[in-house]
Amino acid sequence: MALIACGSAAGAAPGALATAPVAPLDAATAQRIDAQVQQVMQRFAVPGAALAVIQDGQQVYARAYGLRDRERRLPVRTDTPFEIGSITKQFTAAAIVQLQEAGKLKLDDTLATYVPDAPHAGAVTLRQLLSHTSGLHEYFDGPEQEVDQRITQPASYAEIIARIADRPLDFAPGSRWSYSNTGYLLLGKVIETVSGQSYRAYVQQHLLDPLGMRHTFTLADKNRLSGMAVGYRHEAGALKRSPYFHPDWSGPAGFLVSTLDDLARWDAGLSGGTIVSSAGYADMTTSVSIADGKPADYGLGLFVNTVYGQPRIGHTGGSQGFTTADEYFPAQKLRIIAFTNLGDKSPEPGITLTNAVFAALQPQQVAAWEQPVAGERADVTANARASFQQLQAGAGYGAFSASLGQRLAAGLGAGLSRSLRGYGAPTRMVFKGDRQGERGTLHDYVAEFGPGVLMPYTVRVDEDGKVVAFALD
């Protein structure tokens, strides 16, 4: 494990962290952070990680853990480059907003205005592409082994789009939210069409250079980056190097490589008016609404949601061998950035670390949130816990109604079990209240699985207390 001293970032380039002297976190808080991080890394066998804590615009803590390269026993440093995956999406979104502010496009124009030959181009708007409400099918969809093989090979834009060109929309544009890399691939093509530059060149000239981001690259640059972290993931229980991820397949949706300091420069520049106007940033950080009027918890290239009852704005990144998170907590004026070189998705170590660090920094806030709200029924909570554990086990299903239990046993439960098993047994099931659904009362819970791992779980029960419907988020 490499330890890097706490302190503010050096340099005074636009978008850099404030350089006025700041005191590091007190020893007790630093120890809480370290203990939480170590527990997460040990529990999920994370090879290496780097994290930074930024308070009121100033870095107050930075530390590196574990190994960037297991085979050569090389430690992570706080300046180690990591793939940042879908954190790239906020760069793409900012470029689109920037181009609107330059008068070169409009977010509410249809895609056909700029890329007329794209699938469903006349039916979806740029804003819907940015907010994952377009209904376009995901181009990464397919059997895992097939996708793993495909993404190691070069591919043209036309070849990738052909994977979904004949697919109908998954839903009417604007009616639902569903995460879609396809939308961001198409937004990259919009940027190229409108600017006359390649996506990579536009990002360099208009986003990276103005902020002095000299340590941000793309997957295409990996072989010439000294000291870059090696990506890993678990396969059949064994930790292995992740498959090669060709940059053609991620592009504007997720092909950037960066460091803690450079990403902090980006955050300061984006929110501070260097990249887009304050009105543009407000648009990016305001959740869109879907057809029923409910917020989608996503703005333009940024999630806008809550954790531990606190507002949060940011994004996660996940690739074959990396999971990362860049999260801002406006009520606390607190930003936490976490990089890991583990690509496992159940759960994602990157967001797990930012949650765990927030809990270490705000223990009283988290302790208050962990108290169940009034109106909890012990019998429903017991069945919620039992049903969740049966979903993880992929067997039993005695906590469910007979009809739902049969559906789970017939095959529905197998996929759920695979996705939930890696979380381990819940340490607690926190009751968050009741609400009325179309078919009866819905009981909302959040399952906790140790530091930083949370999952909302909702059940509806019949008169016998059996679970007749459930939802996982």
Side-chain angles (χ1 to χ4, degrees):
M1 177 176 67
L3 173 61
I4 307 299
C6 305
S8 58
L17 301 182
T19 56
V22 295
L25 297 176
D26 63 86
T29 302
Q31 288 172 2
R32 283 199 304 271
I33 291 175
D34 188 58
Q36 295 274 59
V37 172
Q38 296 279 15
Q39 187 172 340
V40 170
M41 292 187 67
Q42 291 171 12
R43 184 176 183 191
F44 299 111
V46 181
L51 66 92
V53 177
I54 299 161
Q55 181 68 62
D56 295 312
Q58 300 185 50
Q59 183 176 287
V60 296
Y61 188 85
R63 190 163 185 177
Y65 298 82
L67 300 173
R68 66 174 174 85
D69 186 324
R70 294 178 71 241
E71 290 75 21
R72 294 192 293 165
R73 307 302 296 174
L74 298 176
V76 177
R77 297 162 32 127
T78 54
D79 61 354
T80 295
F82 283 74
E83 292 183 25
I84 63 171
S86 287
I87 294 176
T88 302
K89 288 183 171 66
Q90 60 187 277
F91 290 75
T92 302
I96 292 289
V97 173
Q98 194 179 72
L99 287 165
Q100 175 175 257
E101 293 181 344
K104 296 183 178 181
L105 58 77
K106 295 180 181 179
L107 297 190
D108 294 312
D109 282 345
T110 65
L111 176 60
T113 308
Y114 310 101
V115 190
D117 58 346
H120 308 287
V124 301
T125 67
L126 303 189
R127 188 180 300 275
Q128 288 166 342
L129 296 177
L130 287 164
S131 60
H132 302 292
T133 58
S134 70
L136 285 166
H137 196 71
E138 172 58 60
Y139 70 81
F140 280 118
D141 189 31
E144 184 176 359
Q145 288 186 336
E146 176 202 343
V147 173
D148 271 358
Q149 177 61 34
R150 282 182 178 273
I151 65 175
T152 65
Q153 305 300 317
S156 67
Y157 161 82
E159 288 171 332
I160 296 173
I161 285 298
R163 287 176 59 83
I164 58 96
D166 296 330
R167 299 292 295 263
L169 289 169
D170 292 345
F171 50 83
S175 66
R176 287 171 46 195
W177 185 91
S178 182
Y179 196 82
S180 172
N181 289 290
T182 303
Y184 276 77
L185 181 69
L186 291 166
L187 288 166
K189 185 59 66 175
V190 171
I191 292 167
E192 293 183 337
T193 301
V194 170
S195 71
Q197 296 179 277
S198 70
Y199 173 82
R200 177 66 180 89
Y202 185 93
V203 168
Q204 186 70 52
Q205 180 179 344
H206 298 277
L207 305 184
L208 305 184
D209 288 347
L211 298 178
M213 295 175 64
R214 294 184 293 274
H215 305 289
T216 298
F217 303 93
T218 77
L219 295 181
D221 303 308
K222 283 178 64 172
N223 291 337
R224 67 180 182 86
L225 295 182
S226 62
M228 182 171 169
V230 174
Y232 300 90
R233 70 180 186 182
H234 285 95
E235 298 178 18
L239 189 64
K240 298 182 179 180
R241 280 198 178 213
S242 61
Y244 175 65
F245 197 0
H246 197 285
D248 289 351
W249 283 90
S250 51
F255 77 165
L256 289 182
V257 172
S258 194
T259 62
L260 292 174
D261 277 358
D262 252 26
L263 195 55
R265 288 177 184 272
W266 166 255
D267 293 325
L270 179 63
S271 61
T274 304
I275 298 300
V276 300
S277 68
S278 58
Y281 183 66
D283 205 8
M284 291 180 68
T285 57
T286 300
S287 176
V288 300
S289 297
I290 49 181
D292 59 7
K294 294 180 181 177
D297 291 344
Y298 199 93
L300 310 179
L302 289 162
F303 285 95
V304 184
N305 52 24
T306 63
V307 67
Y308 299 118
Q310 297 300 295
R312 179 177 65 180
I313 300 167
H315 216 289
T316 57
S319 60
Q320 297 297 86
F322 297 82
T323 56
T324 57
D326 179 9
E327 303 293 349
Y328 182 65
F329 301 86
Q332 291 79 21
K333 297 182 180 178
L334 170 69
R335 182 174 297 280
I336 305 170
I337 304 173
F339 294 164
T340 81
N341 59 342
L342 181 66
D344 294 359
K345 305 301 191 294
S346 299
E348 292 192 9
I351 191 68
T352 297
L353 285 177
T354 61
N355 290 344
V357 172
F358 181 86
L361 290 165
Q362 301 287 327
Q364 293 180 332
Q365 173 67 52
V366 172
W369 175 87
E370 287 178 332
Q371 297 303 309
V373 304
E376 181 176 15
R377 286 176 47 188
D379 59 329
V380 176
T381 299
N383 247 21
R385 178 182 287 274
S387 63
F388 190 92
Q389 291 174 330
Q390 290 164 13
L391 290 174
Q392 288 185 300
Y397 304 125
F400 295 88
S401 66
S403 59
L404 182 52
Q406 288 170 0
R407 290 176 57 203
L408 289 165
L412 176 62
L416 289 170
S417 176
R418 284 193 298 271
S419 65
L420 295 174
R421 198 175 298 151
Y423 286 80
T427 54
R428 70 174 73 202
M429 191 73 69
V430 183
F431 177 64
K432 289 299 169 185
D434 294 336
R435 54 193 169 92
Q436 285 304 121
E438 293 182 0
R439 298 187 178 183
T441 302
L442 301 175
H443 309 277
D444 291 327
Y445 294 86
V446 174
E448 289 193 75
F449 306 87
V453 186
L454 314 169
M455 182 183 296
Y457 182 53
T458 297
V459 298
R460 180 166 58 86
V461 299
D462 61 19
E463 60 274 11
D464 297 320
K466 300 291 187 180
V467 174
V468 295
F470 66 92
L472 294 159
D473 187 0

